Amino acid sequence: MSAIIAPNIHIYLSMFLFFQSPLLLIPFSLIFLADGRLSTGHAGVLLAERRGSYPLIDLRTLKTSAQQGEVASGTRRKVKRLLSFQRYCHASRLLRGLVPHTPGSLHLLDDDYLGQAAHMLSKVGTWNFDIFLFDRLTNGNSLVTLMCHLFNVCGLIHHFQLDMVKLHRFLGMVQEDYHSQNPYHNAVHAADVTQAMYCYLKEPKLAEQLSPLDVFLGLMAAAAHDVDHPGVNQPFLIKTRHHLASLYQNTSVLESHHWRSTVGMLRESGLLSHLPAAMSQDMEQQLGSLILATDISRQNEFLLTFREHLDNQDLDLQLASHRHFMLQIALKCADICNPCRVWELSKQWSERVCEEFYRQGDLEKKFDLEVSPLCNQQADSVPAIQIGFISYIVEPLFEEWHRFTEPSLLSQAMMGHLHKNKAHWSHLRYTHTNSDTQAHSNSEEAELTYSVNH
């Protein structure tokens, strides 16, 4: 595609900004409508709130000692990141808007990890990219580092004349507003979705038709699609009468919040302030449309439309509206692509998302609420959850994506992993069921023996 090019510039890694202020001024009258349009009321009325304004949920009861240690070390990590930023700017051509050209400009990471991280970035378009390893190599800055690299190789910094300091500031804000204590919905998940999105944007069927704006929106939406996720789902927010559920009228509550938070950070960072107002507003609206498409409750809506387009063979990617629809589909695929990864990576993500479900179930029990489906660790095993997820959500969507790509090598690889992983989970469920049955039988025998002897 025309927008995804690799200029002859040395790969550079990013810096991370340390922010003192916990507040963000967001126009109180800024309301996002369900169809993706912005509705604004009286200008100049500002509401002071923490950036993102994440839900006030008592997660303290679920913290382990390790997590508490992580919270306690948060200040040290922030100082370390600040010092990394200062080291990076010491030789600073970056502040003058110039792109680093030499290995000497790579100061974010220790030398031991630098070569490995740069080597991984050189293969960022491969499907076996290990985002967990990359996050460790970048000292927990995988999202910022990945996005800076992709914006560079896709030519977006030059095309949109982005200010490098503002870009790093915005990406740092996004990464910081993901909750690291979430097992699944954290910045590493955002980086993983972004890497998958990049792979999909390179698909031959899409690549040659996409504009720089399409690529910009696709990567930005992927990076920010779950920002400030509280680690609980929409039904939990609704039944606890959370203010976000009221604000968004129980419809796409989390997705609307992710979008609103993203727009707030875009404006606070000033990343798009140099663009015409109409253009930046249109970009905000399109970002909203993409992020709202990740609402899993709208899965059938998008799947049926996608299938209808493929059956009728009427997708015209020269039309902006059709390209936008395919960006929505690509983002939905990227968001749920974990079962299509190699088993070693897929299994980690499956265990993480189930751990997050179980934590919500523990919260619901604590507050005497009905435990949500899939959130009862005693009744809902990881294999059973994953088999249902693959069968009813992942397979139907990726089968249509497979048709769309005609099929590509990447799509063939993903479907291969998907079928193998489903077989793995089926085997584990069978083993788990048999072990439970045997344990129950042993328990009954022990109880009978005890009653006879006493």
Side-chain angles (χ1 to χ4, degrees), residues 43 59 71 90 106 147 154 157 166 172 185 223 234 307 395 443:
L59 295 176
V71 172
H90 181 67
L106 301 176
M147 280 290 285
C154 295
I157 297 172
K166 290 180 179 180
H185 289 104
Q234 175 173 292
R307 185 176 292 151
E395 277 183 334
S443 176

Side-chain angles (χ1 to χ4, degrees), residues 266-452:
L266 277 171
R267 295 182 177 185
E268 183 182 359
S269 66
L271 180 63
L272 306 179
S273 61
H274 64 292
L275 300 177
M279 182 178 182
S280 62
Q281 187 178 71
D282 178 65
M283 293 168 81
E284 291 174 356
Q285 291 180 15
Q286 291 199 58
L287 278 174
S289 177
L290 292 173
I291 293 173
L292 288 173
T294 63
D295 184 348
I296 202 68
S297 69
R298 301 179 64 192
Q299 186 77 0
N300 284 338
E301 168 195 339
F302 281 95
L303 179 61
L304 292 175
T305 302
F306 191 24
R307 185 176 292 151
E308 185 177 342
H309 277 306
L310 295 177
D311 289 343
N312 296 336
Q313 299 183 347
D314 60 359
L315 270 176
D316 182 0
L317 296 181
Q318 293 187 358
L319 296 176
S321 60
H322 283 204
R323 292 199 308 275
H324 184 80
F325 174 75
M326 286 312 304
L327 287 179
Q328 291 176 313
I329 294 296
L331 181 57
K332 290 180 68 63
C333 287
D335 193 27
I336 62 171
C337 74
N338 301 150
C340 299
R341 299 283 193 179
V342 296
W343 171 251
E344 292 74 19
L345 299 177
S346 179
K347 183 172 181 287
Q348 289 187 67
W349 285 120
S350 298
E351 292 169 344
R352 284 168 174 259
V353 74
C354 288
E355 173 60 23
E356 196 164 295
F357 291 163
Y358 298 151
R359 287 189 184 187
Q360 176 176 321
D362 290 344
L363 266 182
E364 290 167 332
K365 291 176 185 177
K366 172 181 170 60
F367 295 112
D368 296 322
L369 300 171
E370 181 182 357
V371 177
S372 298
L374 311 182
C375 295
N376 188 336
Q377 189 166 5
Q378 284 67 48
D380 305 308
S381 69
V382 175
I385 292 173
Q386 290 307 304
I387 291 171
F389 179 57
I390 291 172
S391 299
Y392 298 110
I393 302 296
V394 182
E395 277 183 334
L397 181 59
F398 276 89
E399 284 170 357
E400 300 308 320
W401 180 263
H402 195 64
R403 287 175 62 195
F404 168 72
T405 62
E406 295 185 339
S408 67
L409 292 176
L410 171 58
S411 183
Q412 293 178 53
M414 289 194 300
M415 294 302 289
H417 292 317
L418 181 62
H419 295 147
K420 289 178 182 178
N421 292 339
K422 186 177 181 180
H424 270 299
W425 288 121
S426 296
H427 174 72
L428 289 175
R429 182 172 65 170
Y430 176 78
T431 304
H432 178 78
T433 302
N434 281 351
S435 64
D436 282 353
T437 302
Q438 183 63 43
H440 181 68
S441 175
N442 291 342
S443 176
E444 288 183 336
E445 289 178 7
E447 183 178 351
L448 179 60
T449 301
Y450 181 85
S451 63
V452 169

Side-chain angles (χ1 to χ4, degrees), residues 222-263:
H225 79 284
D226 271 333
V227 70
D228 200 37
H229 196 292
V232 294
N233 60 19
Q234 175 173 292
F236 182 93
L237 298 180
I238 292 174
K239 66 186 176 184
T240 56
R241 300 181 181 180
H242 193 272
H243 74 274
L244 288 178
S246 300
L247 178 63
Y248 298 112
Q249 300 179 334
N250 298 344
T251 303
S252 298
V253 175
L254 286 170
E255 292 75 22
S256 298
H257 177 60
H258 304 324
W259 175 27
R260 172 176 173 170
S261 298
T262 303
V263 171

Side-chain angles (χ1 to χ4, degrees), residues 44-228:
V45 180
L46 300 179
L47 172 66
E49 58 179 316
R50 180 196 180 277
R51 186 172 65 246
S53 185
Y54 61 82
L56 299 174
I57 296 170
D58 183 11
L59 295 176
R60 290 172 297 176
T61 59
L62 305 177
K63 286 181 180 176
T64 64
S65 58
Q67 290 169 323
Q68 290 169 347
E70 178 183 63
V71 172
S73 65
T75 301
R76 290 194 298 274
R77 288 204 312 272
K78 287 185 177 181
V79 170
K80 186 175 182 180
R81 288 167 177 169
L82 174 61
L83 293 176
S84 296
F85 170 70
Q86 291 172 337
R87 286 200 305 273
Y88 193 98
C89 291
H90 181 67
S92 183
R93 289 184 299 160
L94 190 64
L95 293 177
R96 301 196 301 274
L98 301 176
V99 177
H101 286 268
T102 66
S105 64
L106 301 176
H107 294 300
L108 177 64
L109 305 175
D110 294 333
D111 291 340
D112 292 343
Y113 295 98
L114 184 58
Q116 297 178 63
H119 177 70
M120 287 194 70
L121 282 178
S122 70
K123 298 185 176 182
V124 71
T126 59
W127 190 243
N128 61 350
F129 191 86
D130 187 342
I131 198 65
F132 297 111
L133 174 59
F134 186 68
D135 191 63
R136 292 194 295 272
L137 292 175
T138 56
N139 194 30
N141 288 297
S142 55
L143 183 59
V144 175
T145 305
L146 178 66
M147 280 290 285
C148 286
H149 174 71
L150 295 180
F151 266 46
N152 177 35
V153 299
C154 295
L156 301 176
I157 297 172
H158 174 75
H159 181 87
F160 292 101
Q161 294 294 293
L162 300 177
D163 182 288
M164 293 296 296
V165 172
K166 290 180 179 180
L167 175 62
H168 282 84
R169 176 172 170 78
F170 169 74
L171 294 175
M173 292 161 70
V174 171
Q175 181 175 271
E176 191 75 0
D177 270 13
Y178 277 95
H179 300 188
S180 60
Q181 69 269 25
N182 289 345
Y184 183 83
H185 289 104
N186 52 43
V188 184
H189 165 66
D192 185 63
V193 172
T194 301
Q195 190 271 337
M197 187 67 167
Y198 175 67
C199 292
Y200 298 158
L201 295 178
K202 293 204 310 173
E203 284 281 30
K205 190 77 179 291
L206 263 182
E208 57 193 26
Q209 302 291 343
L210 296 179
S211 68
L213 178 60
D214 296 326
V215 177
F216 176 91
L217 292 170
L219 294 177
M220 287 283 281
H225 79 284
D226 271 333
V227 70
D228 200 37

